[in-house]
Amino acid sequence: LRTTYSSIINLCTPKQTMSCSSFKFNTFQFCIIIFILHVFAATPILSDNSSFNNFLDIAKSPEVFYWMVSIRRKLHENPELGYQEFETSKLIRSELDKMGIPYKHPVAITGVIGFIGTGFSPFVAIRAVMDALPMQEMVEWEHKSKVDGKMHACGHDAHVAMLLAAAKILKHHEKEIQGTVVLVFQPAEEGSGGSKKIVESGVLENVTAIFGLHVVPELPIGEVASRSGPLLAGSGRFEAKISGKVGHAAIPQMSIDPILTASNVVISLQHLVSREADPLDTQVVTVAKFQGGSAFNVIPDYVTIGGTYRDFSKQSFNHLRQRIEQIIVGQAAVHRCNATVDFLDEVKPSYPPTINDGDLHEHFVNVAVNMLGVSKVNSAVTPYIAAEDFAFYQEIMPGYFFMVGVKNAKHKPSESFLHSPYLQINEDGFPYGAALHASLAASYLQKHQQNRPGAADSKYHDEI
């Protein structure tokens, strides 16, 4: 402020600065002064050492970068599937203990929820997922998976490492955090809906916003991408049993053919997209499973089909689910068969669409552009038809999901997509994810500090 008022005084002529009573400003100078005073009155003032603008430099420092990479490599060597991330969780808790960060565990079986800041509201969450995939790694390198049939083929090992690095940065600046950052280390994203269990635990009930990220091997280092509104599709699965009457293939009139019935069902399901959906509303219905019969001359007793359906609108997604059941049951009845439909929610829940909050999008763009430059931020990326259980958080609070580049120019295109046994990611991208995690959370709390209730109405971090 001293610098600001000195600047104001320097706007005056030497004669005008002789005494306060002799100040005579022209209209232009007066307007400038009023504007400056207004800005500084409405904006919290931070000292130089409390600025969040240097988070990327900290994340790139050898101390943080190589530590982050070492954690990722340990996790990559020892992948664990959903709700089995016991050693992963143990490593996370060990690192949080070293940093003096309190946490809750277990949450959703293997999950860990950490807390940094004042312990009072506002609360903002940043999230990483921990689970690996059931596939054999085909990349020969020093830190290849040591567990047969399991691999971190979706980059979740990188997610955990970046969130821990963000925690290290935030802990170092804890005195400047104006609220509480909640660290969400979530299990079982790959089809098992670990976020749904986190939500149901109630541990995030006071959180007002949540941020999440995903590494993208096709996106260059130092670049990020996202959008406001629908980013990822909702995804559901279905399985149907269509029952007829067994019979000999030579006398079809004595049987009720479930194969013919199921074939008509598959064709009718495609009409949901081609003839019932708005062409501007992207939808997918795919039957990928068709099982029935074991002999060339016997009409089987039943056929099982199964598949997936996806949509970017929650309303359309729910309507699609309803129509899938109606068509399967209805077509079966037309052909004298019976049908039962199971959407498999008890095993693996359907994921709602991931829809980014508009206000958080504006916040993300401001932070990312300030950190990376406008040319490195794609704020209107084309939506992905893939699904993410981050959507369950967005059903209870404003949420924002974005992509971080980890492209390696030396890799072949076949090595540059998620869920590939040949996946390789560029660890040089990690500092950008860690710094954005930390900066998005800290600046969000700074921005929303005015909404903080009195201490008597707040809850400490161990009671969130």
Side-chain angles (χ1 to χ4, degrees):
L1 280 175
R2 290 193 188 96
T3 302
T4 303
Y5 284 117
S6 297
S7 300
I8 293 172
I9 292 173
N10 290 334
L11 289 173
C12 309
T13 63
K15 180 180 179 181
Q16 291 169 329
T17 57
M18 291 177 63
S19 69
C20 291
S21 61
S22 64
F23 280 7
K24 295 180 181 179
F25 306 106
N26 62 40
T27 304
F28 175 73
Q29 293 168 336
F30 181 79
C31 290
I32 290 178
I33 294 169
I34 295 301
F35 172 77
I36 292 173
L37 290 175
H38 173 75
V39 169
F40 276 83
T43 305
I45 307 296
L46 294 177
S47 61
D48 291 340
N49 63 0
S50 66
S51 172
F52 304 136
N53 294 331
N54 66 338
F55 281 0
L56 182 57
D57 292 334
I58 297 173
K60 286 182 175 181
S61 67
E63 177 187 0
V64 175
F65 175 73
Y66 290 113
W67 170 79
M68 180 169 33
V69 168
S70 69
I71 289 175
R72 182 259 168 164
R73 292 177 176 179
K74 288 178 186 177
L75 295 175
H76 194 86
E77 291 177 1
N78 301 281
E80 297 174 298
L81 302 182
Y83 298 125
Q84 300 173 21
E85 310 97 330
F86 296 104
E87 291 303 314
T88 301
S89 177
K90 184 178 179 181
L91 184 150
I92 291 168
R93 299 195 313 273
S94 175
E95 294 298 331
L96 294 178
D97 285 335
K98 292 175 185 176
M99 290 185 275
I101 296 174
Y103 55 81
K104 282 189 174 184
H105 171 269
V107 179
I109 303 176
T110 55
V112 182
I113 310 295
F115 309 95
I116 302 173
T118 65
F120 297 112
S121 63
F123 295 93
V124 64
I126 45 179
R127 166 263 203 177
V129 283
M130 310 187 297
D131 55 327
L133 285 161
M135 63 172 56
Q136 185 69 34
E137 182 167 11
M138 303 300 290
V139 181
E140 295 298 332
W141 68 304
E142 184 181 357
H143 301 284
K144 180 180 179 179
S145 171
K146 297 178 180 178
V147 185
D148 287 341
K150 298 179 184 179
M151 176 191 176
H152 269 294
C154 199
H156 295 180
D157 50 344
H159 296 181
V160 171
M162 288 187 285
L163 187 56
L164 282 172
K168 182 182 283 287
I169 295 169
L170 290 168
K171 183 63 178 178
H172 183 70
H173 290 78
E174 188 168 29
K175 292 181 180 179
E176 301 154 28
I177 295 175
Q178 302 180 36
T180 306
V181 179
V182 181
L183 310 170
V184 180
F185 295 93
Q186 177 209 307
E189 186 277 329
E190 296 291 354
S192 297
S195 63
K196 191 170 186 291
K197 285 188 178 292
I198 294 283
V199 168
E200 291 171 349
S201 74
V203 72
L204 303 181
E205 61 183 357
N206 292 330
V207 175
T208 57
I210 186 168
F211 294 93
L213 62 76
H214 208 294
V215 293
V216 176
E218 301 93 342
L219 194 63
I221 299 296
E223 295 188 16
V224 294
S226 193
R227 63 179 287 117
S228 180
L231 175 67
L232 300 169
S235 175
R237 301 174 306 149
F238 64 91
E239 185 175 72
K241 181 178 180 179
I242 299 173
S243 302
K245 181 180 178 182
V246 67
H248 197 283
I251 47 174
Q253 73 276 14
M254 301 299 292
S255 67
I256 299 176
D257 191 347
I259 289 182
L260 179 63
T261 302
S263 299
N264 278 277
V265 167
V266 173
I267 297 299
S268 296
L269 288 174
Q270 299 311 302
H271 294 163
L272 283 174
V273 175
S274 66
R275 285 298 174 266
E276 292 190 25
D278 184 335
L280 300 180
D281 180 8
T282 303
Q283 297 183 4
V284 171
V285 177
T286 296
V287 176
K289 175 182 178 181
F290 196 120
Q291 298 175 341
S294 59
F296 293 103
N297 62 344
V298 177
I299 295 172
D301 189 39
Y302 69 91
V303 168
T304 301
I305 65 171
T308 183
Y309 59 103
R310 299 175 183 236
D311 197 292
F312 288 101
S313 160
K314 186 173 181 180
Q315 181 178 359
S316 298
F317 181 75
N318 292 334
H319 177 72
L320 203 55
R321 174 182 174 125
Q322 180 183 10
R323 289 291 291 137
I324 287 171
E325 183 170 16
Q326 289 174 346
I327 284 174
I328 294 173
V329 173
Q331 280 288 341
V334 167
H335 292 85
R336 300 179 297 151
C337 288
N338 295 315
T340 57
V341 183
D342 185 359
F343 288 97
L344 308 173
D345 288 337
E346 292 184 3
V347 180
K348 293 183 178 180
S350 300
Y351 287 5
T354 300
I355 302 175
N356 280 338
D357 179 81
D359 291 338
L360 294 184
H361 174 69
E362 182 180 349
H363 178 67
F364 167 78
V365 171
N366 288 338
V367 171
V369 168
N370 184 57
M371 180 181 294
L372 309 176
V374 67
S375 64
K376 302 295 185 180
V377 180
N378 182 350
S379 59
V381 69
T382 301
Y384 298 82
I385 201 68
E388 236 283 354
D389 77 350
F390 188 81
F392 285 111
Y393 299 118
Q394 294 174 320
E395 291 201 315
I396 65 166
M397 72 181 81
Y400 195 83
F401 197 72
F402 62 98
M403 314 299 178
V404 175
V406 290
K407 184 176 182 178
N408 191 325
K410 298 179 181 179
H411 297 163
K412 300 175 183 178
S414 61
E415 300 168 345
S416 297
F417 63 90
L418 300 173
H419 290 215
S420 164
Y422 298 98
L423 174 70
Q424 298 180 63
I425 59 179
N426 192 334
E427 293 168 333
D428 289 341
F430 293 3
Y432 298 93
L436 281 168
H437 258 325
S439 188
L440 285 167
S443 56
Y444 174 89
L445 293 177
Q446 182 186 49
K447 183 178 179 181
H448 291 81
Q449 179 62 17
Q450 62 268 27
N451 297 325
R452 177 184 179 274
D457 299 324
S458 301
K459 293 188 176 182
Y460 288 97
H461 53 240
D462 60 351
E463 297 175 348
I464 185 173

